[in-house]
Amino acid sequence: METGLEHYLIVSALLFSLGLLGVVLHRNLILMFMSLELMLNAANLTLVAFSRFNNDLDGQLLVFFIIAVAAAEVAIGLALIVALFRRRQTTSTEDIATLKL
Amino acid sequence: MTDLLFYLLSSFTLLFGALVVVNPFSRNPVTSAMFLALAIISTAGLYVLLHAFFLAAVQILIYAGAIIVLFLFVIMLLDLREEEQKRFRLLGLTGGVLGSLAIATAIIATITVAEPGAGKTPEIEGTTRQLGNQLFADYVLPFEIMGLLLLVAMMGVILLSKKQLR
């Protein structure tokens, strides 16, 4: 069977739900963050597949921008986690349930 | 040949993605980060199958090269060993599995009903030349803003990692 757009979309949907499962399941901020990256990758795969099958390069350019923003986002997020760990000595979401530091 | 590669790469992507989320052999976050790198490299292979060659290279350079290294640095800096003893909560496990299964079923049902790829013949090539032409013709302003965003992110990280915020 010839691989079409649907095949890529289904792989991307499964990858996205795997990432969602990780975000819900884990209580460690870093593992949640990694699952978030998985979800972001699934969205990127959708964009590239749509771009290819609609003969339009705009989708690929959007993915390029998303990757750049993701790099900035990961740097900031990990810096926040490190700053939090310095203050509270934990990265578990159960221990940081209050807004007060 | 392409079909075989597609099934191989997509099963690798999903397998390594599953091992990032739930790894039965090791609860060490370093293992998860390594499997995330493998999942990202398999996704880059899928990009090559979609003729997005430039994005495949960018994906490997930025994600597998920079972001995973950043994750590994932070994991080793924080020395997260206590994670290995923790178990999953039953509520989180059932809720997570049911929720993600529901989302996956909803999306896949929509895809099968909508048939978005019917009657299309792909012919574009995502080479560096073509992407560069379009990037510097139509998207110069977003590109410049992206540079500013990266600068702001860098300054923010330096500020956040100072010992005292004074």
Side-chain angles (χ1 to χ4, degrees):
Chain A
M1 187 179 169
E2 188 78 7
T3 51
L5 178 55
E6 289 86 358
H7 295 76
Y8 288 97
L9 292 184
I10 285 171
V11 171
S12 154
L14 290 175
L15 196 61
F16 184 85
S17 34
L18 266 176
L20 182 71
L21 177 68
V23 171
V24 176
L25 212 57
H26 284 292
R27 281 163 291 165
N28 186 318
L29 278 175
I30 291 189
L31 284 168
M32 286 169 81
F33 207 7
M34 279 195 241
S35 309
L36 219 62
E37 290 303 311
L38 221 54
M39 289 166 82
L40 208 58
N41 258 295
N44 279 350
L45 183 60
T46 313
L47 282 169
V48 175
F50 270 121
S51 160
R52 164 92 174 139
F53 285 92
N54 278 316
N55 290 322
D56 194 342
L57 268 183
D58 283 353
Q60 296 194 12
L61 281 164
L62 184 56
V63 170
F64 176 69
F65 286 124
I66 289 175
I67 289 178
V69 173
E73 169 235 333
V74 166
I76 295 274
L78 287 176
L80 280 172
I81 291 176
V82 170
L84 192 70
F85 188 81
R86 274 216 189 110
R87 233 166 230 266
R88 303 287 294 268
Q89 304 298 319
T90 180
T91 55
S92 172
T93 50
E94 288 181 328
D95 302 331
I96 40 179
T98 55
L99 281 174
K100 192 165 163 284
L101 274 175
Chain B
M1 184 61 194
T2 319
D3 293 354
L4 188 69
L5 271 177
F6 168 76
Y7 287 113
L8 202 68
L9 284 170
S10 51
S11 52
F12 275 170
T13 308
L14 291 174
L15 175 71
F16 294 141
L19 283 173
V20 174
V21 175
V22 181
N23 194 335
F25 309 111
S26 155
R27 296 292 303 277
N28 195 338
V30 176
T31 328
S32 291
M34 287 321 210
F35 278 119
L36 182 59
L38 285 176
I40 280 163
I41 290 168
S42 321
T43 321
L46 285 177
Y47 287 178
V48 171
L49 284 187
L50 286 165
H51 292 241
F53 306 114
F54 177 71
L55 282 181
V58 164
Q59 173 98 349
I60 289 182
L61 280 178
I62 296 184
Y63 264 105
I67 291 183
I68 300 297
V69 172
L70 213 58
F71 268 114
L72 285 175
F73 265 123
V74 171
I75 290 168
M76 288 171 184
L77 195 71
L78 302 187
D79 199 20
L80 302 167
R81 292 202 184 277
E82 77 278 13
E83 179 65 22
E84 294 178 26
Q85 282 98 41
K86 285 196 177 164
R87 309 302 315 162
F88 293 128
R89 285 163 302 177
L90 191 64
L91 182 67
L93 193 66
T94 46
V97 169
L98 282 179
S100 48
L101 268 181
I103 295 258
T105 329
I107 298 176
I108 289 171
T110 314
I111 291 165
T112 42
V113 169
E115 290 180 355
K120 299 253 171 65
T121 45
E123 52 203 15
I124 58 155
E125 300 282 323
T127 56
T128 312
R129 176 189 292 271
Q130 291 197 325
L131 270 173
N133 275 340
Q134 190 146 355
L135 184 66
F136 291 109
D138 302 340
Y139 294 93
V140 181
L141 184 65
F143 185 73
E144 298 293 336
I145 294 173
M146 190 60 60
L148 198 67
L149 178 80
L150 287 173
L151 176 72
V152 170
M154 194 173 73
M155 285 173 5
V157 168
I158 292 170
L159 186 72
L160 278 171
S161 43
K162 281 176 86 166
K163 277 281 182 204
Q164 61 267 50
L165 294 170
R166 292 276 164 247

